[in-house]
Amino acid sequence: MRRIYLDHNATTPVHPEVIEAMLPYLREGFGNPSSIHAFGQAAKKGLEEAREEVARLIGAQPEEIVFTGSGTEASNLAIKGVVYGRRGGGGHVITSSIEHPAVLNVCRQIEREGCHVTYLPVDRVGLIRPDDIRRAMTGETILITLMHANNEVGTIQPIEEAARIARDQGVLFHTDAVQSAGKIPVDVGSLGADLLSFSAHKVYGPKGVGALFVRRGTPLRALIHGGHQEQDRRAGTENVAGIVGFGRAASLASRMVTGKQEELRSLRDYFWVKIRQEIDDIHLNGDLARALPNTLNVAFEYVDGESLLINLDLQGVAASAGSACTSGALEPSHVLVAMGVPSWTARGTLRFSLGRETTKEEIDETVPILTDTVKRLRAMSPLYLDAKRGGR
Ligand code: PLP
């Protein structure tokens, strides 16, 4: 069976050039970059070249990049690093209600440790309102952390404005750019962020490698103590091969980001037009004009998203659901709930996320599979049959 992968926001395939770049560092280039002999220095060279490429992707200086074990770790370092660095503890942090768990659960943890956190609401398409940030600021606010692009609906936040509000008040600003870096142009200078998290496996690099941009002069407490790696900000021998892979993935992304963006956007929009023509009672979650070019989040009324997902997978189409199974119960996504999507509709939601290698042929193959599966599931749904009988 041919498999069609439409889940690139979950992860991406590792680019063949990335694998090629990594292999020497798993073989003869195995040295420890902290060693002074030739083996160590060769590894160090690979590490520092990768740092330059990763920094270039976001318009940063190499010394402003701290390599971590994931995007999640980068956000932990950013948020806890600021909060723990504050003398006397406490403090106030502003975030949004639609963050990835990599930020949301860190905020819940610092709340348990005595920090006060404000979770900003979002509008119908998942946008925060800058005025809400202004209103939430207090004399105690030490950090604002807002995601650049949402992983579920793709909505891109007004980060420049949010960062300006923070700067005007002398408050640090962090953004989780795990979904945006490499997909749309990301430049730390124009965004105005002090801290920015991103991750290799979302941009055709390996899993288990992330990075935190730390603007020069930003106070940050380390979370992992040990050796002096990463300018004392993250101890532990670096994952050299993974970082080299991140470097190559970043340089490929830097070259492609502008051109691919438009190609992906038109393929994604074509997909939406096609399924809207074929399937009734569906809604778009978010706003395509303000979203990542590869992301499409669709609610199929009278359909259970998990059943749809599983049935699509059986036919070779991989997507992602708008709900998650938590302790046996299907919980609608916190993002959709925050956007005011009714929980029943949220449960019938799927996310399709396209990638660089996605073709029009794959989309043309997916549309009839999706259409037939939705029809088949609805034919078994008493709710749907009742609604249609009642003329709804
Ligand atoms: N932040 C966002 C917005 C994400 O989409 C993800 C991954 O899905 C993460 C953070 C976590 O990144 P990582 O898998 O590298 O820990």
Side-chain angles (χ1 to χ4, degrees):
M1 179 174 46
R2 176 164 168 198
R3 295 218 169 256
I4 299 174
Y5 186 74
L6 299 176
D7 199 16
H8 291 80
N9 286 8
T11 197
T12 53
V14 183
H15 193 286
E17 266 192 50
V18 169
I19 299 175
E20 286 307 311
M22 290 172 69
L23 283 176
Y25 292 90
L26 295 166
R27 293 183 175 137
E28 65 281 3
F30 63 87
N32 185 328
S34 299
S35 302
I36 54 165
H37 48 59
F39 290 88
Q41 290 314 297
K44 174 105 181 147
K45 186 164 177 285
L47 183 68
E48 294 314 321
E49 284 171 4
R51 197 184 303 281
E52 282 171 26
E53 286 167 341
V54 166
R56 200 172 302 129
L57 178 65
I58 59 162
Q61 294 301 314
E63 62 277 14
E64 294 174 311
I65 297 295
V66 177
F67 286 117
T68 62
S70 61
T72 300
E73 190 194 321
S75 289
N76 269 263
L77 176 56
I79 300 167
K80 292 178 184 164
V82 169
V83 170
Y84 296 170
R86 183 188 142 99
R87 241 171 291 154
H92 174 230
V93 171
I94 299 173
T95 188
S96 83
S97 46
I98 62 160
E99 298 295 311
H100 186 274
V103 165
L104 220 41
N105 287 336
V106 178
C107 287
R108 293 197 180 119
Q109 177 58 28
I110 57 169
E111 265 185 305
R112 285 190 285 273
E113 295 168 9
C115 194
H116 180 56
V117 180
T118 301
Y119 299 88
L120 299 176
V122 292
D123 69 9
R124 233 173 20 82
V125 298
L127 280 171
I128 54 127
R129 301 171 196 85
D131 275 346
D132 285 342
I133 307 178
R134 288 189 190 93
R135 271 194 289 272
M137 296 277 245
T138 72
E140 290 291 296
T141 308
I142 51 173
L143 176 71
I144 299 176
T145 171
L146 293 172
M147 71 197 319
H148 190 195
N150 183 265
N151 44 302
E152 294 188 27
V153 292
T155 303
I156 300 167
Q157 299 296 343
I159 292 299
E160 293 87 343
E161 192 173 353
R164 203 174 317 119
I165 296 170
R167 198 176 330 116
D168 288 350
Q169 303 291 321
V171 169
L172 292 173
F173 187 87
H174 166 249
T175 187
D176 171 355
V178 168
Q179 286 295 343
S180 56
K183 287 196 187 120
I184 55 172
V186 169
D187 179 74
V188 288
S190 47
L191 286 178
D194 301 298
L195 299 148
L196 180 145
S197 313
F198 54 130
S199 183
H201 75 101
K202 309 287 185 184
V203 287
Y204 300 80
K207 288 160 191 63
V209 194
L212 180 67
F213 156 76
V214 185
R215 188 177 294 287
R216 194 176 303 139
T218 305
L220 195 74
R221 167 95 48 106
L223 301 183
I224 300 179
H225 301 96
H228 295 297
Q229 291 90 353
E230 300 300 298
Q231 301 177 65
D232 282 328
R233 287 190 152 142
R234 202 263 191 179
T237 302
E238 298 89 344
N239 172 4
V240 179
I243 290 170
V244 166
F246 193 4
R248 181 58 58 93
S251 85
L252 289 169
S254 299
R255 269 183 268 149
M256 283 184 173
V257 74
T258 331
K260 266 288 163 192
Q261 233 196 148
E262 286 322 308
E263 228 179 282
L264 272 173
R265 191 188 306 284
S266 60
L267 195 55
R268 188 265 323 259
D269 292 354
Y270 170 77
F271 187 28
W272 171 233
V273 168
K274 283 284 179 196
I275 56 178
R276 213 173 32 172
Q277 275 168 4
E278 299 296 328
I279 312 173
D280 51 13
D281 297 313
I282 63 173
H283 319 278
L284 180 81
N285 295 314
D287 175 0
L288 294 186
R290 310 190 67 156
L292 288 172
N294 76 321
T295 307
L296 184 63
N297 189 296
V298 183
F300 299 86
E301 295 283 355
Y302 313 109
V303 173
D304 169 50
E306 289 280 312
S307 309
L308 182 53
L309 189 71
I310 293 164
N311 276 276
L312 288 178
D313 187 41
L314 290 172
Q315 297 167 86
V317 176
S320 160
S323 52
C325 199
T326 320
S327 34
L330 264 193
E331 290 292 331
S333 122
H334 68 285
V335 175
L336 299 177
V337 170
M339 287 162 59
V341 175
S343 66
W344 185 252
T345 305
R347 286 196 178 93
T349 289
L350 287 196
R351 175 189 73 186
F352 301 96
S353 44
L354 282 51
R356 286 178 202 156
E357 71 288 2
T358 307
T359 61
K360 182 167 173 293
E361 289 68 36
E362 286 181 319
I363 298 298
D364 286 336
E365 247 181 82
T366 301
V367 173
I369 295 174
L370 182 60
T371 309
D372 292 349
T373 312
V374 169
K375 278 191 185 144
R376 192 154 40 81
L377 291 175
R378 281 179 178 169
M380 294 187 287
S381 153
L383 257 176
Y384 180 72
L385 297 172
D386 272 2
K388 291 297 149 178
R389 242 180 257 125
R392 238 191 87 185

